[in-house]
């Protein structure tokens, strides 16, 4: 099974809350630095540093962490969600676009009744379409 990892720099908790609302993500697990064994430390990290989390987004596991050692953005990949209804696709697209950037507005395409691309407020690129 291929599981994408999204790395953040200190705002993973915020991203998790956002994705719970925007894409109805469910949280399977979150492990914080404060839960690490005694003596384990990450220099400069707060106790709320997310060591590892796993979310389920439309049946797919996504791992998220605050473990980025350098600025990582979503420009090298995108996450794609296929919907059966235009209403649901539009709702999710608009939630992801809030505070983000619409790359290509939702519109009919020859391969899809509705298709668009958005970069969310965390810089993650989402491809939303209907089947």
């Amino acid at each position: 099974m291929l599981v994408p990892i999204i790395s953040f720099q200190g705002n993973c908790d915020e991203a998790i809350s956002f994705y719970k609302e925007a894409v109805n993500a469910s949280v399977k697990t979150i492990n914080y630095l404060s839960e690490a064994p005694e003596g384990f430390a990450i220099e400069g990290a707060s106790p709320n540093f997310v060591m590892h989390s796993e979310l389920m987004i439309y049946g797919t596991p996504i791992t998220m962490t605050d473990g980025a050692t350098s600025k990582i953005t979503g420009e090298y990949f995108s996450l794609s969600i296929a919907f059966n209804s235009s209403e649901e696709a539009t709702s999710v697209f608009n939630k992801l676009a809030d505070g983000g950037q619409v790359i290509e507005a939702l519109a009919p395409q020859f391969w899809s009744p509705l298709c668009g691309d958005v970069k969310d407020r965390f810089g993650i690129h989402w491809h939303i379409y209907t089947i």
Side-chain angles (χ1 to χ4, degrees), residues 8-82:
F8 299 87
Q9 292 183 313
N11 60 349
C12 188
D13 260 343
E14 180 185 347
I16 290 169
S17 293
F18 175 72
Y19 295 131
K20 284 171 62 177
E21 172 63 26
V23 294
N24 199 29
S26 61
V27 178
K28 291 181 65 178
T29 185
I30 300 178
N31 301 108
Y32 295 96
L33 179 59
S34 62
E35 302 167 340
E38 190 173 324
F40 186 90
I42 297 176
E43 188 176 329
S46 82
N48 294 327
F49 182 97
V50 176
M51 300 289 296
H52 172 86
S53 68
E54 187 172 326
L55 283 67
M56 291 297 289
I57 300 177
Y58 295 101
T60 299
I62 305 285
T63 298
M64 295 171 55
T65 180
D66 273 324
T69 56
S70 63
K71 182 70 173 159
I72 298 173
T73 66
E75 295 185 32
Y76 300 111
F77 72 98
S78 62
L79 298 173
S80 182
I81 306 174

Side-chain angles (χ1 to χ4, degrees), residues 18 22 90-103 117-121 126 128:
F18 175 72
T90 300
S91 175
V92 169
F93 186 91
N94 290 339
K95 289 175 185 177
L96 291 169
D98 184 24
Q101 173 190 4
V102 173
I103 297 167
D117 292 271
V118 62
K119 186 182 291 187
D120 70 28
R121 65 180 73 169
W126 296 82
I128 306 296

Side-chain angles (χ1 to χ4, degrees), residues 104-117:
E104 187 163 335
L106 284 173
Q109 303 294 337
F110 72 89
W111 61 87
S112 170
L114 197 61
C115 183
D117 292 271

